[in-house]
Amino acid sequence: MAELLAAKLVRDVPDFPKQGILFKDITPVLEDPAALKQAVNLIAADARAKGAEVIVGIESRGFIFGAPIALHLHVPFAMARKLGKLPYDKISEEYALEYGTNTVEMHIDSIKPGQKAYIVDDLLATGGTAAAAARLVERLKGSVCGFGCLIELSFLHGRETLLGYPVTALMEL
Ligand code: AMP
């Protein structure tokens, strides 16, 4: 297996966005074309193997990886956006944060009935965001064939939240 170039580039930023959070900053990965290309290619290969017919990117860093993966596979790219950003008819799913809740939304026509959707984000933490995106896909009568990300914070047990969905992470931190 070739070395994962992104592994050395993810930067830890303590106490961002608030005290006690160790933020995984992927901007150095985005600034390294070879590392970004390798990460996109690896997640795209997984999405292809899972039979993805549409790639769902979670706002906002999921867009950075999701759109090139969709191009790579020549399948549609669908956005799961934060509350209030999508202009057309949409459905919403709320999920719990440490304090309060967040909401993700998708356009009602962004998933076709029966379509296999592969969900992409930069990082899996508790899995709440990815699970909400999965509920949106299923409410639109699609099925979730997998979830792919660059980084998994395994101590937060996001995989348990996503039980039943295959999860692929390029690195575990
Ligand atoms: P979760 O819903 O808990 O799995 O959180 C995942 C979402 O929050 C992803 O969109 C991540 O980009 C972001 N996120 C959560 N924790 C971190 C962290 N420690 N560093 C960077 N991003 C994070």
Side-chain angles (χ1 to χ4, degrees):
M1 249 297 255
E3 180 196 9
L4 182 69
L5 302 172
K8 290 195 186 106
L9 295 171
V10 175
R11 174 164 60 192
D12 283 349
V13 182
D15 299 321
F16 183 86
K18 54 187 175 196
Q19 197 75 23
I21 304 285
L22 184 61
F23 193 84
K24 300 292 177 184
D25 176 18
I26 60 155
T27 57
V29 179
L30 306 183
E31 290 163 7
D32 186 317
L36 180 59
K37 188 173 185 177
Q38 185 193 37
V40 165
N41 285 348
L42 288 169
I43 302 174
D46 182 62
R48 190 193 300 278
K50 302 269 162 47
E53 293 168 333
V54 55
I55 302 294
V56 175
I58 300 177
E59 186 170 1
S60 56
R61 277 162 283 154
F63 295 173
I64 299 169
F65 294 92
I69 290 167
L71 280 176
H72 210 90
L73 269 58
H74 201 69
V75 299
F77 177 66
M79 295 191 288
R81 294 210 67 177
K82 303 279 161 63
L83 184 67
K85 302 281 190 187
L86 286 173
Y88 182 61
D89 295 343
K90 61 216 159 206
I91 57 167
S92 312
E93 278 288 333
E94 205 174 68
Y95 58 96
L97 297 173
E98 197 179 349
Y99 299 101
T101 61
N102 245 349
T103 301
V104 276
E105 300 188 321
M106 288 181 79
H107 277 157
I108 53 165
D109 58 357
S110 60
I111 302 289
K112 311 290 175 248
Q115 220 172 18
K116 284 191 203 171
Y118 185 93
I119 302 173
V120 174
D121 205 353
D122 67 326
L123 181 145
L124 176 66
T126 64
T129 316
R135 292 197 296 276
L136 289 173
V137 167
E138 288 170 355
R139 282 175 60 195
L140 295 173
K141 311 239 177 305
S143 66
V144 177
C145 63
F147 173 80
C149 59
L150 185 62
I151 304 164
E152 175 181 3
L153 300 182
S154 43
F155 65 95
L156 291 171
H157 308 295
R159 268 176 206 263
E160 287 165 29
T161 308
L162 294 175
L163 270 189
Y165 304 116
V167 174
T168 297
L170 301 187
M171 66 184 104
E172 264 184 56
L173 298 173

